[in-house]
Short mmCIF file of all heavy atoms in Angstrom, two decimals:
data_model
loop_
_atom_site.label_atom_id
_atom_site.label_comp_id
_atom_site.label_asym_id
_atom_site.label_seq_id
_atom_site.Cartn_x
_atom_site.Cartn_y
_atom_site.Cartn_z
N THR A 717 -43.59 99.31 4.61
CA THR A 717 -44.33 100.54 4.80
C THR A 717 -44.65 100.70 6.28
O THR A 717 -45.24 99.82 6.88
CB THR A 717 -45.64 100.52 4.00
OG1 THR A 717 -45.33 100.31 2.62
CG2 THR A 717 -46.39 101.84 4.14
N PRO A 718 -44.24 101.80 6.88
CA PRO A 718 -44.42 101.93 8.33
C PRO A 718 -45.87 102.15 8.71
O PRO A 718 -46.64 102.75 7.98
CB PRO A 718 -43.57 103.17 8.67
CG PRO A 718 -43.59 103.97 7.41
CD PRO A 718 -43.60 102.97 6.28
N TYR A 719 -46.22 101.64 9.89
CA TYR A 719 -47.53 101.92 10.45
C TYR A 719 -47.34 103.03 11.48
O TYR A 719 -46.32 103.07 12.15
CB TYR A 719 -48.11 100.67 11.14
CG TYR A 719 -49.54 100.84 11.55
CD1 TYR A 719 -50.55 100.77 10.60
CD2 TYR A 719 -49.87 101.11 12.87
CE1 TYR A 719 -51.88 100.94 10.97
CE2 TYR A 719 -51.19 101.28 13.24
CZ TYR A 719 -52.18 101.20 12.29
OH TYR A 719 -53.48 101.39 12.65
N PRO A 720 -48.27 103.99 11.57
CA PRO A 720 -48.06 105.12 12.47
C PRO A 720 -47.90 104.66 13.92
O PRO A 720 -48.63 103.80 14.39
CB PRO A 720 -49.34 105.95 12.28
CG PRO A 720 -50.35 104.98 11.77
CD PRO A 720 -49.58 104.01 10.92
N THR A 721 -46.95 105.28 14.60
CA THR A 721 -46.74 104.90 15.99
C THR A 721 -47.85 105.43 16.88
O THR A 721 -48.12 104.87 17.93
CB THR A 721 -45.40 105.44 16.49
OG1 THR A 721 -45.37 106.86 16.27
CG2 THR A 721 -44.25 104.81 15.73
N SER A 722 -48.49 106.52 16.48
CA SER A 722 -49.61 107.05 17.24
C SER A 722 -50.89 106.82 16.47
O SER A 722 -51.01 107.21 15.31
CB SER A 722 -49.43 108.55 17.48
OG SER A 722 -50.61 109.09 18.01
N LEU A 723 -51.87 106.18 17.13
CA LEU A 723 -53.13 105.90 16.47
C LEU A 723 -54.04 107.11 16.45
O LEU A 723 -55.12 107.04 15.88
CB LEU A 723 -53.82 104.73 17.17
CG LEU A 723 -53.11 103.40 17.06
CD1 LEU A 723 -53.87 102.34 17.86
CD2 LEU A 723 -52.94 102.96 15.62
N SER A 724 -53.62 108.21 17.04
CA SER A 724 -54.48 109.39 17.06
C SER A 724 -53.77 110.61 16.49
O SER A 724 -53.97 111.72 16.92
CB SER A 724 -54.92 109.70 18.50
OG SER A 724 -53.79 109.86 19.34
N VAL A 725 -52.95 110.36 15.47
CA VAL A 725 -52.18 111.46 14.89
C VAL A 725 -53.02 112.35 14.00
O VAL A 725 -52.60 113.43 13.64
CB VAL A 725 -50.99 110.92 14.06
CG1 VAL A 725 -49.97 110.26 14.97
CG2 VAL A 725 -51.47 109.95 12.99
N THR A 726 -54.20 111.91 13.62
CA THR A 726 -55.01 112.69 12.71
C THR A 726 -56.35 113.02 13.32
O THR A 726 -56.85 112.30 14.17
CB THR A 726 -55.27 111.90 11.40
OG1 THR A 726 -55.85 110.65 11.75
CG2 THR A 726 -54.00 111.66 10.64
N PRO A 727 -56.95 114.13 12.89
CA PRO A 727 -58.31 114.42 13.35
C PRO A 727 -59.24 113.28 12.98
O PRO A 727 -59.14 112.71 11.90
CB PRO A 727 -58.67 115.71 12.58
CG PRO A 727 -57.37 116.32 12.21
CD PRO A 727 -56.42 115.16 12.01
N GLY A 728 -60.12 112.93 13.89
CA GLY A 728 -61.05 111.85 13.62
C GLY A 728 -60.67 110.55 14.30
O GLY A 728 -61.49 109.66 14.43
N ALA A 729 -59.39 110.43 14.71
CA ALA A 729 -59.03 109.21 15.43
C ALA A 729 -59.77 109.18 16.75
O ALA A 729 -59.98 110.22 17.39
CB ALA A 729 -57.51 109.18 15.66
N ASN A 730 -60.15 108.01 17.17
CA ASN A 730 -61.03 107.86 18.33
C ASN A 730 -60.30 108.25 19.61
O ASN A 730 -59.32 107.62 19.98
CB ASN A 730 -61.48 106.40 18.42
CG ASN A 730 -62.60 106.21 19.40
OD1 ASN A 730 -62.79 107.00 20.31
ND2 ASN A 730 -63.37 105.15 19.20
#
Side-chain angles (χ1 to χ4, degrees):
T717 303
Y719 189 76
T721 55
S722 170
L723 294 177
S724 56
V725 292
T726 55
N730 192 337

